[in-house]
Amino acid sequence: KKLDEALDVYQKILPENEWGLEASKRIVLILRKKDRKAALNYLKTLEEKAKKDKSWYVLLISSAEALDLCEKGIQYGEEAIKLFRDEVDLILSLASNYACLENYQKVLDLTLPLLKKFPENPHILNFIGYSYVELGKNLEEAEEILQKALQLKPNDPYILDSLGWCYSKMGKIDLALEYLEKAVQNLFEEEAVILEHLADILVIKKETSKACEFYQKALKASFHLRDTERIKNKLQTLGCEKNNSNN
């Protein structure tokens, strides 16, 4: 948690080094926590690099999402696809920004055509399955797609979350709880929406105190404004602040 020291080390890596791309990714994540204005300025420095190289464009698009600039990420993504057509990483990065804005039909429009060419790609499968769940359609097909994704990438927390969320929409609450608990257990770092999903199921199970705990964790981990507002509303509706004061 020595962010200044970490930032200094990553900046030393940058000049024309094979690890420069990864270092820049870490710099964005550190600046997001430390100094948003500096993070936005750093994003601008990535723009020129991106126009010359597909991998830097992927970083630029994903960095925009990380900074809750998903509209900007979509703009970058549409530019990138014109320059580097049919690049899976670029398409998935663009899809992720559309998911950030909860435009799941657009996510499907981008990812479904990839499935014929890459039927064993767990990321593509997860995008498609989760989008069906969020759109509230083809839930049985979504379950099948997500189970296949999990076989290809066992214990992946994002796929486990998608499956858990799918079962919640199907009314299979115990299965939903099982998968969402596994998702949280397998996280490398706390993810707001996954924690929120688990809290939602705990509310259904009438485990209010535990639900409040996970909503609080979700709020702390959130960096997208729409997620933050939604989680705050759930905390207030559940009376979590009152419960905390009683404790």
Side-chain angles (χ1 to χ4, degrees), residues 27 39 87 124 132 148 211 213 226:
I27 288 170
E87 290 287 347
I124 293 171
Y132 280 147
K148 181 178 180 180
E213 176 189 338
R226 67 177 59 232

Side-chain angles (χ1 to χ4, degrees), residues 158-173:
Y158 299 96
I159 299 172
L160 287 165
D161 170 68
S162 297
L163 261 170
W165 200 230
C166 180
Y167 286 128
S168 77
K169 298 296 184 181
M170 297 172 83
K172 299 179 179 180
I173 302 305

Side-chain angles (χ1 to χ4, degrees), residues 20-32:
L21 188 71
E22 185 64 25
S24 290
K25 177 181 177 181
R26 306 297 177 88
I27 288 170
V28 170
L29 294 176
I30 290 172
L31 290 177
R32 184 183 77 181

Side-chain angles (χ1 to χ4, degrees), residues 101-150:
L101 299 179
E102 299 179 0
N103 188 343
Y104 290 100
Q105 185 56 55
K106 185 62 178 180
V107 175
L108 285 177
D109 293 343
L110 287 166
T111 55
L112 276 172
L114 299 174
L115 195 57
K116 289 183 180 178
K117 192 172 181 181
F118 305 101
E120 304 294 312
N121 185 309
H123 303 292
I124 293 171
L125 292 167
N126 191 43
F127 267 113
I128 294 170
Y130 188 78
S131 295
Y132 280 147
V133 174
E134 285 293 334
L135 290 169
K137 66 180 185 180
N138 304 340
L139 293 181
E140 291 184 0
E141 183 182 352
E143 178 191 6
E144 184 179 335
I145 288 169
L146 292 168
Q147 285 288 1
K148 181 178 180 180
L150 191 62

